[in-house]
Amino acid sequence: MRANPGAAPARWITRYLFGTVARGSAALAADLAVVAVFSATHVLAVVLEPTESGEPQWWPLLVSIPATAVLLGWRRMPWPALLVTLSATVALTAAHASIGALNLVILVEMYAVCLRTSLAGVVVAALVAMVYPVVDALELSLGEGFLRVFGGAVNLVMVIGWGRAMRVALRRERQLEHTVVLLDEARDQIAADAAVVERARIAREFHDVVSHNLSVVALRAGVARAVMERDPDHARGTLRELEETSRSALDEMRNVLTAFREGAVAPPHAGPAPGELEEAERQPAPSLDRVDLLIDRVRSAGVSWRLERRGAVRGLGPGVEMNAYRVVQEGITNVLKHAPGGIARVLLEYGNSSLRIEVTNRDTNAAAPRPSTVDAPARAGNGLIGLRERVALLGGSLTAHPVPGGFHLAAVLPVNETQVSEAQVSEAPDAR
């Protein structure tokens, strides 16, 4: 399709008057070009316009060219530019001299006033600008004078309409730019908040994995050290269990890292590496089915554990299963850290719309020395903070408080029945 030959100049003029040609030196160059064209037009008019003496009348150029050069300030000072140009035009008209393109310069400056002045100011500027056609019409007949004034008024009305429309458009453009800036700031803030949430989630996951397994490792290492001389076989068995626990902790950390890498780093079209995918498939995600294994790992740590399941045992949604597993894991970790002795109970009570978890312990040998904590200073962890965040995300509740001779941890997680798996419902034994 052929381009319209006149489209490019018209588009440039529109952009020039709209104030979007350029800024700085480029805008100054555009204004200089316009001033040069208008000045050259007046020079040509002086050369071609006949006079009584037959010689060109050059003196009007001494007035019109400086008045045209005032157009360089139309962007910043439209009112002074309009008054100077209008005064020069009226003076040349009263002296019956050629004004060249000063009438067009007045229209451009009137347009600039419309862009930067309120409606009342525009009306005042229009009345002032009408001085030129009125003075020009004084030397004409009544009909010609009326047409001259009417034509000047029509030109001003068109320029004012265009200028007001451009003023509204410029205001909308600035509002749009401001909105874009606000949206960019909001996007950055959302990204920063998401990063904070993601860091907190990563911290929770690593705390749950590292804290529990290191507590078990420290406890068993202390037991092995305590019985190494008098019961080497027991010590070797404890070290084997320690090795298994360490390997399990490494596998679980590898699963966590793989999950983070898939969700946060890998692009949507890319999958995990084949080795990582195979390793992740071999290691099941934490769920309530693995609570038995979790307790079996710590049975030889000096605590008598009891696991109870009540209600209709069934598969729950993966989010509830994993978070319930972490609650039990943190409860066991707290027992191993702060009361590695006596008896402890884990209760999983399946309700119709909720899952209740309790981990309680009672230290029956508080006065006896504990191999795992003799040399270890007491340290406060962030496990309960992470648990509260986990439970709150699911809309549940968490309570944790000391009881005589021990500690009580309880959580209630809501269960969405639409996400419950179709695992076979079975009644578990009352106690194990």
Side-chain angles (χ1 to χ4, degrees), residues 194-206 386 389-390:
V196 171
V197 172
E198 184 66 14
R199 284 195 295 268
R201 186 171 71 91
I202 293 173
R204 286 197 304 269
E205 292 293 336
F206 272 94
E389 293 175 352
R390 283 182 178 276

Side-chain angles (χ1 to χ4, degrees), residues 214-238:
L214 286 184
S215 296
V216 175
V217 167
L219 183 64
R220 289 185 172 177
V223 172
R225 184 186 62 181
V227 302
M228 184 173 295
E229 294 182 358
R230 66 174 183 268
D231 193 353
D233 293 335
H234 187 190
R236 281 192 292 270
T238 302

Side-chain angles (χ1 to χ4, degrees), residues 179-368:
T179 302
V180 170
V181 171
L182 292 179
L183 289 176
D184 289 340
E185 294 177 353
R187 180 195 60 195
D188 295 340
Q189 185 62 41
I190 291 174
D193 293 342
V196 171
V197 172
E198 184 66 14
R199 284 195 295 268
R201 186 171 71 91
I202 293 173
R204 286 197 304 269
E205 292 293 336
F206 272 94
H207 173 272
D208 293 340
V209 174
V210 175
S211 176
H212 172 77
N213 288 286
L214 286 184
S215 296
V216 175
V217 167
L219 183 64
R220 289 185 172 177
V223 172
R225 184 186 62 181
V227 302
M228 184 173 295
E229 294 182 358
R230 66 174 183 268
D231 193 353
D233 293 335
H234 187 190
R236 281 192 292 270
T238 302
L239 290 176
R240 283 194 297 269
E241 294 175 357
L242 183 60
E243 181 182 3
E244 294 175 0
T245 301
S246 302
R247 293 184 183 277
S248 176
L250 289 174
D251 292 338
E252 195 166 356
M253 289 182 62
R254 189 179 296 111
N255 290 341
V256 172
L257 289 174
T258 301
F260 287 151
R261 217 166 14 241
E262 293 175 11
V265 178
H269 59 274
E276 293 178 351
L277 183 59
E278 182 180 357
E279 184 67 24
E281 290 178 350
R282 286 200 301 264
Q283 297 295 332
S287 65
L288 293 178
D289 294 337
R290 302 182 64 191
V291 172
D292 303 79
L293 179 60
L294 183 64
I295 294 178
D296 289 340
R297 290 177 181 172
V298 297
R299 285 190 182 277
S300 62
V303 180
S304 177
W305 289 94
R306 183 184 182 190
L307 172 62
E308 296 183 16
R309 286 188 173 93
R310 297 176 185 174
V313 179
R314 60 197 185 278
L316 307 177
V320 176
E321 291 267 341
M322 186 185 71
N323 284 281
Y325 178 88
R326 295 303 186 195
V327 171
V328 175
Q329 186 182 55
E330 182 61 27
I332 294 175
T333 301
N334 287 336
V335 172
L336 296 178
K337 279 184 176 181
H338 308 298
I343 60 175
R345 185 191 68 159
V346 176
L347 171 64
L348 301 176
E349 184 175 354
Y350 291 78
N352 293 330
S353 59
S354 64
L355 172 68
R356 179 175 178 79
I357 305 168
E358 288 187 5
V359 180
T360 58
N361 72 290
R362 183 165 57 89
D363 192 353
T364 59
N365 192 23

Side-chain angles (χ1 to χ4, degrees), residues 335-424:
V335 172
L336 296 178
K337 279 184 176 181
H338 308 298
I343 60 175
R345 185 191 68 159
V346 176
L347 171 64
L348 301 176
E349 184 175 354
Y350 291 78
N352 293 330
S353 59
S354 64
L355 172 68
R356 179 175 178 79
I357 305 168
E358 288 187 5
V359 180
T360 58
N361 72 290
R362 183 165 57 89
D363 192 353
T364 59
N365 192 23
R370 295 160 186 168
S372 63
T373 58
V374 169
D375 301 327
R379 299 193 181 188
N382 297 320
L384 290 179
I385 297 176
L387 280 187
R388 294 187 190 279
E389 293 175 352
R390 283 182 178 276
V391 173
L393 288 175
L394 295 178
S397 61
L398 176 73
T399 58
H401 55 84
V403 295
F407 199 82
H408 176 79
L409 174 68
V412 178
L413 303 179
V415 175
N416 187 355
E417 291 297 336
T418 60
Q419 297 178 354
V420 174
S421 65
E422 297 181 354
Q424 181 179 2

Side-chain angles (χ1 to χ4, degrees), residues 103-104 106-107 110 126 129-134 136-137 140 142-160:
N103 56 339
L104 298 179
I106 291 175
L107 294 178
M110 186 66 198
M130 285 297 297
V131 172
Y132 158 65
V134 170
D136 192 23
L140 303 176
L142 182 62
E144 291 180 351
F146 173 78
L147 291 178
R148 183 64 57 87
V149 173
F150 180 76
V154 170
N155 291 335
L156 284 176
V157 169
M158 290 190 299
V159 170
I160 290 173

